[in-house]
Amino acid sequence: MRKKIIAANWKMYGTLDSVKKLTARVAEIRASCEIIIFPPFLFIPLVQQLLKNTPVHYGGQNLSVAVSGPYTGEISSEMLKEYGCSYVLVGHSERRRLFYETNTVIGEKFIRAQAAGLIPILCVGETLEERNQTKTMEIVLNQFNVILERVGVQAFETAVLAYEPVWAIGTGLTATPLEVQEVHLKLRKHIHSIDAKIAESIPILYGGSIKPENAGDLLSSSEVDGGLVGGASLNSDEFRQICLSC
Ligand code: PGA
């Protein structure tokens, strides 16, 4: 059975003080799922200190396609690794939409992450317009396939997928448990047609306005291996409840 994962994407929120408090509270959560937090880069050394000797993992929200060099403002995979990160988000819709990251760039980042020993969490998901045009699976499978063609199926042995419908991120709108299950099932079936073993082992998370009130319904399906939580992960009580509901 795949272990459930609850990941907290703190995006560009927090102060030294709030991050200290929030990290300490997360470290106290006793849940059966694996917990991962994604703080803003600057707070990673602090989070590393506070999570020492705890089972909580952490990672970067982004990484550079380059190993090192004259790339002003970038953070490399090796730097993340040096500060104890285990995971990194790749292809989050905010990176795709607001920072013009293409599938080519996302593929390079995926490769760079794994080369440094980081586990990429590859995010895929359709916009509302695409869903209304019944293009959800076409978009999701295409976003997955372009990376697959670049990295090969074996690379997914040490990767995580996150289905994040763009229209549900930060909007308060959530996909219904049935809608989520349907996409997860089809995605896993697609992977199964390429490699049955990897299809069975790869965790597929859901992300998009997960809250304590809907977490139980969304995460209880055996097709949903956990959640990627944005807004609600900034509130330690809400995040704790979400962790306890899977
Ligand atoms: P949200 O964000 O929970 O605030 O919708 C999810 C995400 O961006 O991963």
Side-chain angles (χ1 to χ4, degrees), residues 9 11 92-94 164 168-172 207-211 228-232:
N9 178 4
K11 307 194 179 185
H92 190 282
S93 67
E94 284 156 17
E164 295 215 306
I169 296 178
T171 57
S209 298
I210 300 182
K211 306 262 176 286
L228 180 50
V229 189

Short mmCIF file of all heavy atoms in Angstrom, two decimals, residues 9 11 92-94 164 168-172 207-211 228-232, ligand 1:
data_model
loop_
_atom_site.label_atom_id
_atom_site.label_comp_id
_atom_site.label_asym_id
_atom_site.label_seq_id
_atom_site.Cartn_x
_atom_site.Cartn_y
_atom_site.Cartn_z
N ASN A 9 2.44 23.76 1.10
CA ASN A 9 3.11 24.73 0.24
C ASN A 9 2.86 26.12 0.83
O ASN A 9 1.77 26.66 0.71
CB ASN A 9 2.53 24.61 -1.19
CG ASN A 9 3.15 25.62 -2.14
OD1 ASN A 9 4.05 26.37 -1.77
ND2 ASN A 9 2.64 25.65 -3.37
N LYS A 11 4.17 28.86 -0.05
CA LYS A 11 4.26 29.92 -1.07
C LYS A 11 5.11 31.10 -0.56
O LYS A 11 6.07 30.86 0.17
CB LYS A 11 2.85 30.35 -1.51
CG LYS A 11 2.04 29.13 -1.95
CD LYS A 11 0.78 29.43 -2.70
CE LYS A 11 0.11 28.11 -3.07
NZ LYS A 11 -1.07 28.28 -3.90
N HIS A 92 4.56 23.65 -10.66
CA HIS A 92 3.36 24.18 -10.00
C HIS A 92 2.70 25.17 -10.96
O HIS A 92 3.38 25.91 -11.67
CB HIS A 92 3.75 24.87 -8.68
CG HIS A 92 2.56 25.23 -7.85
ND1 HIS A 92 1.79 26.33 -8.13
CD2 HIS A 92 1.99 24.62 -6.78
CE1 HIS A 92 0.79 26.39 -7.25
NE2 HIS A 92 0.89 25.36 -6.43
N SER A 93 1.38 25.21 -10.94
CA SER A 93 0.68 26.05 -11.93
C SER A 93 1.04 27.52 -11.79
O SER A 93 1.01 28.27 -12.76
CB SER A 93 -0.83 25.86 -11.82
OG SER A 93 -1.29 26.35 -10.60
N GLU A 94 1.41 27.96 -10.56
CA GLU A 94 1.81 29.36 -10.41
C GLU A 94 3.13 29.62 -11.13
O GLU A 94 3.36 30.70 -11.66
CB GLU A 94 1.88 29.72 -8.91
CG GLU A 94 0.48 29.92 -8.33
CD GLU A 94 0.35 29.71 -6.84
OE1 GLU A 94 1.37 29.70 -6.13
OE2 GLU A 94 -0.80 29.52 -6.38
N GLU A 164 -3.41 19.02 -9.65
CA GLU A 164 -3.86 20.30 -9.10
C GLU A 164 -4.66 21.08 -10.15
O GLU A 164 -4.06 21.82 -10.94
CB GLU A 164 -2.64 21.12 -8.67
CG GLU A 164 -1.86 20.50 -7.54
CD GLU A 164 -1.29 21.59 -6.65
OE1 GLU A 164 -0.61 22.49 -7.15
OE2 GLU A 164 -1.58 21.55 -5.45
N ALA A 168 -8.97 25.34 -8.99
CA ALA A 168 -9.25 25.06 -7.57
C ALA A 168 -8.16 25.60 -6.64
O ALA A 168 -8.30 25.54 -5.43
CB ALA A 168 -9.41 23.55 -7.37
N ILE A 169 -7.10 26.14 -7.23
CA ILE A 169 -5.97 26.59 -6.39
C ILE A 169 -6.22 28.00 -5.88
O ILE A 169 -6.34 28.94 -6.66
CB ILE A 169 -4.64 26.51 -7.17
CG1 ILE A 169 -4.35 25.05 -7.52
CG2 ILE A 169 -3.51 27.12 -6.37
CD1 ILE A 169 -3.09 24.84 -8.31
N GLY A 170 -6.30 28.11 -4.57
CA GLY A 170 -6.45 29.41 -3.93
C GLY A 170 -7.78 30.08 -4.19
O GLY A 170 -7.96 31.26 -3.91
N THR A 171 -8.74 29.35 -4.73
CA THR A 171 -10.01 29.96 -5.12
C THR A 171 -11.15 29.61 -4.16
O THR A 171 -12.21 30.23 -4.21
CB THR A 171 -10.44 29.47 -6.52
OG1 THR A 171 -10.52 28.03 -6.47
CG2 THR A 171 -9.46 29.88 -7.58
N GLY A 172 -10.92 28.59 -3.32
CA GLY A 172 -12.01 28.12 -2.46
C GLY A 172 -12.87 27.10 -3.19
O GLY A 172 -13.70 26.42 -2.58
N GLY A 207 -4.33 18.53 -5.08
CA GLY A 207 -4.15 19.87 -4.50
C GLY A 207 -5.17 20.83 -5.05
O GLY A 207 -5.54 20.75 -6.24
N GLY A 208 -5.67 21.73 -4.23
CA GLY A 208 -6.65 22.73 -4.66
C GLY A 208 -7.69 22.93 -3.58
O GLY A 208 -8.63 22.14 -3.47
N SER A 209 -7.48 23.99 -2.77
CA SER A 209 -8.43 24.38 -1.72
C SER A 209 -8.80 23.24 -0.76
O SER A 209 -9.96 23.10 -0.39
CB SER A 209 -9.69 24.99 -2.34
OG SER A 209 -9.35 26.17 -3.05
N ILE A 210 -7.80 22.43 -0.38
CA ILE A 210 -8.07 21.43 0.66
C ILE A 210 -8.21 22.16 1.99
O ILE A 210 -7.42 23.04 2.32
CB ILE A 210 -6.92 20.39 0.76
CG1 ILE A 210 -6.75 19.65 -0.56
CG2 ILE A 210 -7.20 19.40 1.90
CD1 ILE A 210 -5.67 18.58 -0.54
N LYS A 211 -9.25 21.80 2.72
CA LYS A 211 -9.54 22.40 4.03
C LYS A 211 -9.90 21.27 4.98
O LYS A 211 -10.23 20.17 4.52
CB LYS A 211 -10.76 23.33 3.93
CG LYS A 211 -10.70 24.40 2.87
CD LYS A 211 -10.26 25.71 3.48
CE LYS A 211 -10.08 26.83 2.46
NZ LYS A 211 -8.92 26.77 1.61
N LEU A 228 -1.66 18.23 -1.49
CA LEU A 228 -0.73 19.36 -1.51
C LEU A 228 -1.57 20.56 -1.09
O LEU A 228 -2.51 20.95 -1.80
CB LEU A 228 -0.14 19.52 -2.92
CG LEU A 228 0.86 20.65 -3.18
CD1 LEU A 228 1.98 20.68 -2.15
CD2 LEU A 228 1.47 20.50 -4.58
N VAL A 229 -1.26 21.10 0.07
CA VAL A 229 -2.13 22.09 0.70
C VAL A 229 -1.46 23.47 0.68
O VAL A 229 -0.32 23.61 1.14
CB VAL A 229 -2.42 21.70 2.18
CG1 VAL A 229 -3.49 22.60 2.78
CG2 VAL A 229 -2.79 20.23 2.29
N GLY A 230 -2.16 24.46 0.17
CA GLY A 230 -1.64 25.82 0.16
C GLY A 230 -2.17 26.59 1.36
O GLY A 230 -1.69 26.44 2.49
N GLY A 231 -3.21 27.40 1.13
CA GLY A 231 -3.76 28.29 2.14
C GLY A 231 -3.92 27.69 3.53
O GLY A 231 -3.44 28.26 4.53
N ALA A 232 -4.56 26.52 3.61
CA ALA A 232 -4.84 25.94 4.92
C ALA A 232 -3.58 25.45 5.64
O ALA A 232 -3.62 25.19 6.85
CB ALA A 232 -5.85 24.79 4.78
P1 PGA B 1 -4.56 26.02 -2.07
O1 PGA B 1 -3.14 25.81 -2.86
O2 PGA B 1 -4.66 24.90 -1.09
O3 PGA B 1 -4.41 27.36 -1.41
O4 PGA B 1 -5.62 25.98 -3.10
C1 PGA B 1 -2.77 24.55 -3.34
C2 PGA B 1 -1.44 24.66 -4.06
O5 PGA B 1 -1.12 25.71 -4.60
O6 PGA B 1 -0.69 23.68 -4.09
#
